[in-house]
Structure formats: C-alpha cells, structure tokens
Amino acid sequence: MSQTAFISIGDLRRGRPALAETLPETGGGCGTSGGAGKSSCGSSAGPEDMPAEIWDKVKNHPCYSEEAHHHFARMHVAVAPACNIQCHYCNRKYDCSNESRPGVVSQKLTPDQAVKKVLAVASAIPQMTVLGIAGPGDSLANPKKTFETMSRLQQEAPDIKLCLSTNGLALPDWVDEIVKYNVDHVTITINMVDPAVGAKIYPWIYHEHRRYTGVEAATILHQRQMLGLEMLTARGVLVKVNSVLIPGVNDAHLIEVNRAVKARGAFLHNIMPLISEPEHGTFYGLNGQRGPTAQELKAVQDACAGGANLMRHCRQCRADAVGMLGEDRSDEFTLDKIDEMAVVYDIDKRRAYQQQVEAERARQHQAKVDALAEAFDAGLTRDDMKLLVAVATEGQGKVNQHFGHATEFQVYEVGAGAATFVGHRRVDLYCQGGYGEDEQLPSIVQALGDCHAVLVAKIGACPRDELQAAGIEPVDRYAHEYIEKAALAWFADYRERIASGAIVHQARGDARIRQGAYTGGTEAAA
C-alpha cells in the first residue's frame, strides 16, 4: 500500500494551520534509539511519524499498531512450557479451554506441530500476519523449541512477522539468535526498576543453575532486563514492554518504569491490569490482591503520557490465541482438525487479500481524517470536555455489532476534537441461543460504568432501558459508520443538547475491568 493513503492530517488540511497544533499527541517519544523521535510515534501513529523501515515493521502488526488491530490477526503457538522465574500473578495451566489470560493453553505443541498449525491458520485466515511465541512459560527458557520453530517458519512462511515474549532473564544470551532469525518484534515484561518493588512481585528466579530469592533475585532480573532491552534496540529490534499494574505494589512506580524503558529505546509500553480472580489460582488471587479499576488503570496510563508511547489495545491473550485481537479461534485449529484440512499455503493469495484489507484500512484512516477536520471546523478542539464512549464492533474500525452479540466493547475518549482509543471492556455475552439473558445485564452495565454512551449497530428494548436507567445513552443511529466519525458526531450532538438545555451533563463513576474471566459458558452459548 502506498504511503499517500496515510499522509498527515496537517498535509491533507492545508489552510488550517492551527489544526496540527491543536490535535492531541498520542504519547511519548518514538523508541528507536534512546527514546528519541517524534512525539506521536506509537501504536496509533502512521508512516508520517516514523522512519519508513519502522513503519514497514508495524503497519500490519496488530499489537504494535492500534489501527492495524482493527484489520489484521495474530496467533500464538505454545511451544515453550518451562519458565525460569515465578511471578505472583501467574499460574500456568495446560489443557485449559475456558480461561482467557496469559499462561493458559489447550494444547502444548512441538515445533513440528506448531509449524503445521501456523500454515493451516495462515491458509484459512489470510489477514493473519504475525506469529508469536508467548509461553505458556517463557520463550527463552525454552530456546531450542523456540528457535527451531522460528527457523522453520522463516523458510516455510516468509511473509509472516515473527515475535516472541520473554521475562528478560535469559534475553542477553539470545539476542544474536533473535536477530539471526529475523525476529524483529520482542516483548519484555518489566514490572519494576527498583528491586525492592520487584521482591514483592517475584518470589524466585532460576539463573545460571541457581535459585535466587528476594531482593537479590529482583536485582539480577532487573539488570538482565535492562541489558537485554539495550542490546535489542541497538540491533534495530522493536521492543514492546509489558507491565502489570498491581495496586499498592507498583502502581505509583510504573511512571519510573516508563521513563527507564523509554531511555533505553523501547518502542511501546503496555500497562496492563492485574488478573487476580481467586479461581485462577495465582498467589495474588488466593491472597486477596485486587486488580485495578478502570479509572485507576487509565490514571496510571495518562500519567505516563509524554514518556514511552503507550499501547492501550492489548487483550492479554492466551498463549495459544488465534485470530483478531479480542477474538480467539483456536478451537477451529486443534491438531485433530488440522489433520483433516487440505492446507495450501498460497503466499500470493495471502498478499492479494491483505491488499484488500489495506484498502479498507485506508478508507478508515481517511474517515478519521475527515472527522477530525470536521471537529476542528465545529470548534470542538477548543472544548475542554472529555468523556468516554463504548463501541460494539466486529472489526474494520466500524460500529457494526449488535449489543447482544458483543463479548467486549472498545472504549474511546472523545473531546478536544479527537476520538482516541483508550481501552476495552470484556463482558458476558447477552444474546444466548436467540434470546437475551437479562441476568448478564448488571455485569455489562458495571463494565461500562464510566461511559456516557454505547454505540451499537442495534440494541433491544430491555438492554436499552437498563443502560438508560444507569445513565448510559444507547446509540444506534451511527450503525456501520467508522468509529471516530460516529463518536465525534455523537459528541457534537451531546454538546448541542447540553447547550440547548435539553440535558444536563453528569459525571460518570468508575467501571469494573473483567480481564481473564472464564469464557467457557459464553463460548458454548455463542
């Protein structure tokens, strides 16, 4: 796809010189070298914000580009079961199909099985552009299996981007191998840069044939993480840093983490909520450590603005996830089903399909540009009100899903003439077997408790009434519009109704984050 489809808003709207100055920035510096770069280079950026070689790496990577995640898919292969550290928030589970969180898988794979599965998925899902190894343990605690898989895929599926995730303990030892196999995206989980904080998160590590505990363990881990991050960025590998927000443990400390990883060249910083339901069996879950609320998570993310660029569209995927972010089609590609498939890996067909996807993406981008320009002309950039709206979407960047069919809502902050993606909320499926399950409504309302409106393609009378009673406006008049255009149009109408006295603006409360919930019931119903 030509870069002209993604030229900057300022270039498209010449004659409005103030527009570029008034549009909000998306985050901190572009972490290509020591954190230097344009302030808008990050998960929501385009090619005008970064060097061409960086854009080529992220343009169709759903984790590294917020815009790409509406259009492109990823998959993980579970070839790395062993781990070299213990985290208080982690409990690895195998043969587990009813939880959605990192560290759980339904089937562990050999490299041969993994390659076979990747080829089958890529043949059936041509918009699948990224393959990652994210466990269920640590990819670099299982280096032989990890790099054998990468080596095979480099030869048999050369158009697929290769990624791995690691806790960073063994990372400095394997940077040369990472570069050798063209793994140009690496995620490091970094929860602290102060070993005193780390000692509250990691009970032990296993390094150089020894087990370490306490502050000593956290010190070694911290030093190895920083060294590995510096080595990767020096070699041109894009690094995303994941941090788990643990209230009362590292919430205030994550600002320091953000600054430290930016200084070492991290491309993105993904601050994720702690998953701590007791049924998951983690140390934190069994000992009452709560996860953050929606406002607490957003407050920490907002406090890091101006540092390393933030990723806010993470779904904290399973180690065997398949499909678009926010969906998991792994049940379609179990080993027994793959054995019955006629797999034909047609790279030309995949590229042709992806060009169609890019054309749709360009239309989405243009709609966003037009919506922002209209907001500027309407004077909304001078409005200091900001509020949240939830969106039911099946992808393509559109309001195109029935309220009752949603298992998550995407959340946008509207105000200052922009609609900015800030997160998502997982919910229980409302429509089950052709009818609405009213018992699910209170939990859905709780998940959207900080939103002023929910934009949907269609909504039934009962959930409409329930949302209105909770002070959340159900909106279906923008069905199948692009999200930014719909959100800004609703916001303009909302401001007009306030100005006319038709409504009175009311502040919203907090919302409940449901990350990593059991999904067996909803999957069966769907």
Side-chain angles (χ1 to χ4, degrees):
M1 184 195 66
S2 68
Q3 291 191 8
T4 55
F6 285 84
I7 58 177
S8 68
I9 293 168
D11 289 338
L12 281 168
R13 301 296 173 187
R14 287 191 177 92
R16 296 185 178 93
L19 180 58
E21 298 173 7
T22 56
L23 289 174
E25 294 182 348
T26 59
C30 178
T32 56
S33 178
K38 291 189 178 182
S39 62
S40 60
C41 177
S43 68
S44 58
E48 69 276 8
D49 302 306
M50 64 188 79
E53 66 272 15
I54 303 297
W55 172 247
D56 188 58
K57 292 180 180 180
V58 304
K59 64 182 180 182
N60 61 355
H61 196 308
C63 300
Y64 281 69
S65 167
E66 186 271 319
E67 195 173 78
H69 103 278
H70 294 287
H71 303 280
F72 293 101
R74 60 39 180 136
M75 72 174 292
H76 294 163
V77 288
V79 299
C83 197
N84 48 8
I85 72 173
Q86 179 60 55
C87 308
H88 278 323
Y89 53 76
C90 181
N91 180 27
R92 288 171 286 147
K93 289 186 178 181
Y94 310 126
D95 193 23
C96 179
S97 61
N98 64 345
E99 289 183 40
S100 182
R101 61 180 178 86
V104 298
V105 297
S106 294
Q107 293 176 307
K108 290 182 288 184
L109 305 177
T110 66
D112 282 343
Q113 292 169 331
V115 171
K116 187 175 183 179
K117 182 173 181 178
V118 170
L119 296 178
V121 170
S123 298
I125 307 177
Q127 68 269 39
M128 194 280 282
T129 53
V130 174
L131 181 282
I133 296 178
D138 186 82
S139 61
L140 299 180
N142 304 260
K144 182 177 179 180
K145 294 178 180 178
T146 293
F147 291 113
E148 181 180 345
T149 304
M150 296 297 191
S151 176
R152 291 273 305 279
L153 288 172
Q154 187 183 37
Q155 299 298 319
E156 299 188 41
D159 63 319
I160 294 179
K161 297 182 186 297
L162 302 178
C163 305
L164 61 83
S165 297
T166 177
N167 57 50
L169 181 61
L171 177 57
D173 301 329
W174 296 104
V175 169
D176 287 343
E177 288 292 292
I178 289 171
V179 174
K180 175 182 175 181
Y181 293 113
N182 295 324
V183 180
D184 50 15
H185 300 78
V186 173
T187 295
I188 312 172
T189 299
I190 301 176
N191 296 312
M192 55 84 198
V193 291
D194 180 351
V197 175
K200 301 175 184 178
I201 302 172
Y202 307 104
W204 58 260
I205 69 169
Y206 191 77
H207 177 59
E208 294 184 344
H209 311 292
R210 278 191 59 192
R211 186 182 296 264
Y212 297 86
T213 61
V215 172
E216 184 181 21
T219 299
I220 295 170
L221 178 61
H222 164 60
Q223 293 171 345
R224 301 282 289 176
Q225 288 175 335
M226 296 299 103
L227 176 59
L229 172 56
E230 292 170 355
M231 292 174 68
L232 287 174
T233 56
R235 302 289 291 274
V237 178
L238 294 188
V239 179
K240 175 169 66 72
V241 170
N242 283 352
S243 296
V244 179
L245 194 163
I246 310 163
V249 176
N250 72 344
D251 43 356
H253 180 60
L254 288 180
I255 297 175
E256 295 181 43
V257 174
N258 183 272
R259 291 171 180 159
V261 301
K262 177 187 177 182
R264 290 164 175 83
F267 184 76
L268 286 176
H269 189 194
N270 174 28
I271 300 175
M272 310 177 296
L274 171 70
I275 297 172
S276 61
E277 297 293 335
E279 58 264 35
H280 296 147
T282 67
F283 176 87
Y284 279 148
L286 296 175
N287 286 275
Q289 172 64 56
R290 70 174 180 87
T293 67
Q295 284 190 356
E296 288 172 333
L297 176 63
K298 187 174 184 297
V300 173
Q301 292 171 330
D302 289 348
C304 291
N309 297 283
L310 296 175
M311 173 190 182
R312 302 202 193 206
H313 60 282
C314 176
R315 301 307 199 272
Q316 293 177 271
C317 302
R318 289 166 56 100
D320 58 2
V322 174
M324 306 285 284
L325 296 191
E327 73 172 0
D328 188 359
R329 298 174 58 180
S330 56
D331 282 349
E332 300 175 33
F333 300 97
T334 56
L335 295 178
D336 57 329
K337 293 178 180 177
I338 290 172
D339 286 338
E340 299 175 359
M341 294 179 182
V343 175
V344 179
Y345 191 82
D346 187 335
I347 193 169
D348 292 330
K349 181 179 179 180
R350 282 175 47 77
R351 286 172 174 162
Y353 185 90
Q354 290 171 22
Q355 287 176 355
Q356 296 176 25
V357 173
E358 286 284 15
E360 173 60 31
R361 181 184 180 183
R363 288 189 287 271
Q364 178 196 353
H365 183 83
Q366 185 61 52
K368 180 178 180 178
V369 167
D370 292 342
L372 292 174
E374 290 170 8
F376 175 81
D377 289 342
L380 294 181
T381 55
R382 297 185 293 275
D383 193 328
D384 60 0
M385 176 181 285
K386 290 186 178 182
L387 46 81
L388 301 180
V389 299
V391 180
T393 177
E394 293 180 337
Q396 297 83 50
K398 294 181 178 180
V399 182
N400 58 4
Q401 189 172 46
H402 192 297
F403 174 88
H405 298 164
T407 56
E408 73 163 34
F409 291 87
Q410 296 189 8
V411 178
Y412 284 73
E413 184 176 70
V414 291
T420 305
F421 183 96
V422 295
H424 71 283
R425 306 287 164 75
R426 180 173 290 154
V427 298
D428 290 319
L429 188 68
Y430 175 66
C431 285
Q432 301 189 26
Y435 62 92
E437 182 55 68
D438 293 341
E439 292 181 358
Q440 306 289 15
L441 281 175
S443 67
I444 299 175
V445 170
Q446 287 178 354
L448 306 180
D450 55 348
C451 297
H452 277 77
V454 55
L455 309 184
V456 299
K458 192 174 181 181
I459 187 170
C462 185
R464 180 184 294 273
D465 293 344
E466 190 88 7
L467 289 167
Q468 289 175 332
I472 305 170
E473 181 182 354
V475 182
D476 58 7
R477 62 183 177 273
Y478 303 110
H480 304 289
E481 294 277 6
Y482 287 105
I483 292 172
E484 289 86 358
K485 179 180 179 180
L488 286 168
W490 173 85
F491 181 69
D493 177 69
Y494 182 77
R495 297 297 281 138
E496 289 177 3
R497 284 181 283 155
I498 294 173
S500 70
I503 60 172
V504 176
H505 174 68
Q506 299 284 342
R508 298 293 300 157
D510 208 340
R512 178 172 176 247
I513 296 175
R514 283 202 54 210
Q515 292 277 9
Y518 277 86
T519 59
T522 56
E523 286 177 358

